[in-house]
Amino acid sequence: MTYKEVLESARGQMGPCHACPVCNGRACGATIPGPGAKGSGTVAIRNFDAWRDVRLNMDTIHENFEPDTALRIFGRTFKYPFFAGPVGALALHYGDKYNDLDYNNILVPACAAAGIAAFTGDGTNPKVMEGATAAIAASGGAGIPTVKPWDNATVAQKMAMTRQSGCFALAMDIDAAGLPFLQHLDPPAGSKTVEQLQAIAKSAGVPFILKGIMTVSGAEKAVEAGAAGIVVSNHGGRVLDDCPATAEVLADIVAAVDGRAKILVDGGIRTGNDVFKALALGADAVLIARPFVTAVYGGGADGVAAYTEKLGSELADTMRLCGAPTLDAITRDMVRIIK
Ligand SMILES: Cc1cc2nc3c(=O)[nH]c(=O)nc-3n(C[C@H](O)[C@H](O)[C@H](O)COP(=O)(O)O)c2cc1C
């Protein structure tokens, strides 16, 4: 199955999502519920556009090599330096073809089979985390459950359960404090202090990742809290309108963290070329969220395999043409930022 076929078959099956040829935030705009962005709906577009302003510096005068795209992180080795990002409340945002359990049951094993791993989302229904835990366990722990910033007792209970999956890391989307549908809920969800996060990181038992960091000061606090990794992310523009693009803030955060935590980034990353750009700006790995939803709706496990291989071959091609035989050899001078 090609990715083009995946897109064609996804069309008309994804509620308000159009399964566009390029997922750039333009057609969905401010559609929430749906895959769009909050307020003006422009932050998802900005995320996508910012990677367009990072250009690749081609240099083919070097040894002929077969690129090694393997990523070693948190004690595991993956075929590529990208993960499927967490997406929750599928039925709310993409119509009734799949609920969160169906989605994770397709995505998690398909990512593991493709040599990568999926982050799973969280929801108000406790069955979502139970299902994610089972799916990750059945895939040999190749998954990262992403717990929402509920009150401390609920976080502790959800994290204790998800650890049973054998997952190699655990995440919290701390920026979900700004999601419209998470406000005024019972159990309550919202912001957390460094001290509260320290206790959570300590109890995680596996590397703890904080997702939704957009500033140097936020990154400093995440490191102080004991995060082994951060995801530079504005939640695809879904929590705060008028944020910068993730590509705009990545390099400053990388410089400030200076190796004290792994740095992942998401938002508008759509091709292997974009993955290369993120690594050149200092990220260790990336997350890609919305296009993996399209891959599942359009082709199930085959769709996930097709999209993963498309990304991987684009990344390898870019490594060849910019002179980077391994991920570590991808350096800042291999890209140029316009503007
Ligand atoms: C419909 C939808 C649901 C999402 N649900 C979650 C979630 O449960 N947890 C989370 O951390 N991020 C969630 N996200 C954010 C994504 O993980 C990701 O940060 C964002 O979409 C940017 O990546 P992208 O541009 O590749 O989609 C969601 C995004 C969308 C569009």
Side-chain angles (χ1 to χ4, degrees):
M1 190 172 206
T2 65
Y3 192 62
K4 192 163 169 276
E5 289 164 345
V6 173
L7 287 177
E8 279 160 10
S9 123
R11 269 179 214 129
Q13 302 204 51
M14 299 185 69
C17 173
H18 304 272
C20 300
V22 180
C23 175
N24 58 17
R26 285 184 160 80
C28 50
T31 311
I32 300 182
K38 192 169 165 181
S40 67
T42 53
V43 173
I45 298 171
R46 181 170 306 141
N47 280 341
F48 174 85
D49 286 350
W51 297 110
R52 314 280 71 72
D53 292 335
V54 183
R55 307 277 161 86
L56 299 167
N57 290 332
M58 182 177 68
D59 175 6
T60 54
I61 303 183
H62 52 69
E63 293 270 350
N64 211 21
F65 56 77
E66 197 44 50
D68 178 1
T69 57
L71 169 76
R72 177 122 190 111
I73 194 165
F74 304 137
R76 290 222 174 192
T77 302
F78 297 97
K79 190 171 179 190
Y80 301 120
F82 52 82
F83 298 99
V87 173
L90 271 297
L92 174 69
H93 300 302
Y94 290 98
D96 52 15
K97 181 170 178 180
Y98 294 128
N99 62 28
D100 291 15
L101 282 102
D102 305 325
Y103 180 71
N104 288 335
N105 282 336
I106 299 169
L107 180 74
V108 171
C111 284
I116 60 169
F119 284 66
T120 56
D122 191 4
T124 46
N125 176 358
K127 295 252 175 287
V128 172
M129 271 298 180
E130 284 169 37
T133 301
I136 293 170
S139 296
I144 304 182
T146 309
V147 180
K148 295 235 174 287
W150 310 107
D151 64 293
N152 294 353
T154 308
V155 169
Q157 180 253 318
K158 288 210 181 206
M159 285 181 60
M161 183 184 57
T162 52
R163 264 201 308 277
Q164 294 167 22
S165 65
C167 58
F168 66 98
L170 261 170
M172 173 176 282
D173 50 330
I174 190 64
D175 60 347
L179 283 177
F181 83 98
L182 262 201
Q183 280 156 18
H184 319 299
L185 280 185
D186 184 23
S191 299
K192 296 211 173 285
T193 64
V194 169
E195 291 71 26
Q196 288 169 328
L197 290 170
Q198 271 166 349
I200 293 168
K202 239 184 231 137
S203 69
V206 287
F208 179 63
I209 300 170
L210 275 170
K211 176 173 181 283
I213 305 296
M214 282 297 289
T215 60
V216 164
S217 69
E220 290 290 356
K221 286 184 265 188
V223 171
E224 198 188 333
I230 62 171
V231 186
V232 175
S233 173
N234 52 33
H235 220 105
R238 293 167 72 82
V239 300
L240 178 64
D241 200 0
D242 296 315
C243 275
T246 50
E248 292 169 353
V249 300
L250 174 62
D252 284 352
I253 293 176
V254 167
V257 170
D258 195 23
R260 291 175 293 159
K262 295 289 180 193
I263 303 210
L264 296 90
V265 60
D266 74 14
I269 296 171
R270 298 291 175 258
T271 63
N273 297 31
D274 293 344
V275 176
F276 182 98
K277 294 172 192 178
L279 269 55
L281 295 182
D284 294 290
V286 313
L287 275 58
I288 298 172
R290 293 174 177 97
F292 273 103
V293 182
T294 311
V296 169
Y297 280 67
D302 289 346
V304 171
Y307 185 51
T308 302
E309 277 317 302
K310 175 184 172 297
L311 289 166
S313 66
E314 290 162 350
L315 171 63
D317 192 44
T318 307
M319 289 169 72
R320 228 178 264 116
L321 295 173
C322 294
T326 63
L327 300 183
D328 286 344
I330 300 175
T331 47
R332 174 64 183 80
D333 59 312
M334 292 177 179
V335 294
R336 165 187 298 264
I337 300 179
I338 304 302
K339 285 183 184 170

